[in-house]
Amino acid sequence: LKKMDTISNVIELKENDPFIGNSLKVRARRISEGNYNNNFGPPDLCYLKKEGKGGLFNPKERGGYFHYVYGADTSSTAAVAAYISNLIKNCEVEQGWFGKTKDSFVVKEGIFCMYDCFFKKDVRVEVRIPGQTRVYSQETDDNEDKKGQGNVNELEWSCAHVSSVLRSFFPKEGKYIRVLPELSNKYHFSEFVNSVRIIYKKGFQPGGAAVDKIKKGTNQLFSYIGEYLISKLRIADCLELILPMAQDDPTLVSIACDAYLAVNKVKE
């Protein structure tokens, strides 16, 4: 990749014409074929469509650039759009004879994809420059005539948000994978708790082998999250999540007990 085509501190893969958007189609195809049904799914994907401004030394060209990410704030459409906006602001510029010149390309569109491991589909946020944002679900191959048919309600967004956070607990490493601190502040954790509670009220559970190890008779979603928070010694966060609902669901009491036991072990 040329330096002037990239984003600071983010390594991107590039697709040239006529393959722009191919990675989005492959992702949609793999989802429709059920390739992610036994785990929390693939990492979030951020795709930017860039277009060169053209010029004597920079012929106008189009390209699709993408990277994978764990730990991005996916609590709302606005948060995802802000992630894309921050990437655009950090686009590097060409180094000329007299210092940095203006950007040699512009970002025309950004697409952020989150796999929802509850409904087994992608939730996508599409930001077009300038100023148009839309959210839709993707369950089939990424054909234009099918794109955008699925509207996303509060429950579906909550499921996509929680799925994204669950994947960030144990991120995979790779050259084109960006890993950000998950639930890095109180606001992010509070938004995560709200999404979990919306799912909990509907009685949903994530599917697949990723939670099969959790014993039967417990709430799998809370067990998985609770185990992770306790392992990171985030005891207060674990209790904040569990205790308000433990009165209505006795199966959650055991997770709270595990948290208190962890506190005692730390004191010892």
Side-chain angles (χ1 to χ4, degrees):
L1 298 180
K2 298 178 182 179
K3 183 177 177 64
M4 57 188 173
D5 291 340
T6 61
I7 298 170
S8 299
N9 301 318
V10 179
I11 301 177
E12 298 176 288
L13 286 162
K14 182 180 180 181
E15 295 175 335
N16 293 313
D17 273 331
F19 302 107
I20 296 175
N22 187 63
S23 58
L24 297 174
K25 295 178 182 179
V26 171
R27 181 183 175 96
R29 188 178 307 118
R30 290 180 64 85
I31 291 173
S32 67
E33 293 171 351
N35 286 283
Y36 305 124
N37 285 353
N38 291 324
N39 53 47
F40 290 139
D44 298 342
L45 183 149
C46 184
Y47 197 99
L48 300 180
K49 294 182 180 179
K50 305 178 185 180
E51 185 175 293
K53 293 182 177 179
L56 182 60
F57 299 106
N58 183 35
K60 189 172 183 178
E61 62 176 318
R62 297 169 60 243
Y65 297 73
F66 67 96
H67 66 277
Y68 300 98
V69 58
Y70 292 99
D73 181 7
T74 56
S75 58
S76 66
T77 304
V80 173
Y83 178 84
I84 295 174
S85 177
N86 286 334
L87 290 178
I88 296 173
K89 290 179 181 178
N90 288 324
C91 286
E92 294 181 344
V93 295
E94 184 178 6
Q95 187 72 31
W97 287 102
F98 302 101
K100 292 184 177 181
T101 63
K102 294 182 179 180
D103 294 349
S104 58
F105 68 94
V106 292
V107 177
K108 307 296 289 186
E109 182 179 346
I111 302 173
F112 194 96
C113 308
M114 303 178 289
Y115 178 72
D116 172 4
C117 66
F118 297 85
F119 286 102
K120 312 298 182 187
K121 62 182 180 181
D122 240 6
V123 170
R124 299 185 176 185
V125 177
E126 181 181 284
V127 179
R128 293 188 176 182
I129 312 300
Q132 181 182 2
T133 301
R134 71 186 185 106
V135 184
Y136 57 92
S137 61
Q138 188 78 47
E139 299 180 71
T140 58
D141 288 0
D142 195 6
N143 297 323
E144 287 297 325
D145 59 335
K146 297 177 181 178
K147 185 176 179 181
Q149 286 186 1
N151 294 321
V152 178
N153 57 35
E154 181 186 48
L155 173 61
E156 290 171 321
W157 183 272
S158 297
C159 288
H161 175 210
V162 170
S163 299
S164 177
V165 175
L166 291 176
R167 286 189 292 272
S168 73
F169 287 169
F170 299 100
K172 297 179 181 179
E173 296 182 358
K175 184 176 181 181
Y176 303 102
I177 297 176
R178 188 184 191 195
V179 179
L180 302 172
E182 83 289 350
L183 304 178
S184 57
N185 57 51
K186 190 66 177 177
Y187 172 78
H188 289 165
F189 184 77
S190 176
E191 290 296 297
F192 174 65
V193 169
N194 290 337
S195 292
V196 170
R197 288 174 179 169
I198 290 172
I199 298 171
Y200 173 71
K201 291 177 182 179
K202 299 293 183 179
F204 278 32
Q205 300 282 1
V211 292
D212 285 348
K213 66 183 182 66
I214 299 174
K215 59 186 178 181
K216 294 182 179 179
T218 63
N219 185 293
Q220 293 180 342
L221 175 60
F222 281 89
S223 294
Y224 187 83
I225 298 172
E227 286 181 5
Y228 172 78
L229 293 174
I230 292 171
S231 72
K232 297 296 183 180
L233 298 181
R234 297 177 64 166
I235 309 302
D237 287 341
C238 181
L239 295 175
E240 179 183 339
L241 175 69
I242 299 299
L243 290 181
M245 285 164 289
Q247 296 179 352
D248 300 323
D249 187 348
T251 65
L252 300 180
V253 174
S254 62
I255 303 175
C257 291
D258 290 341
Y260 285 119
L261 288 173
V263 172
N264 293 331
K265 288 182 179 180
V266 170
K267 290 180 179 180
E268 295 175 359

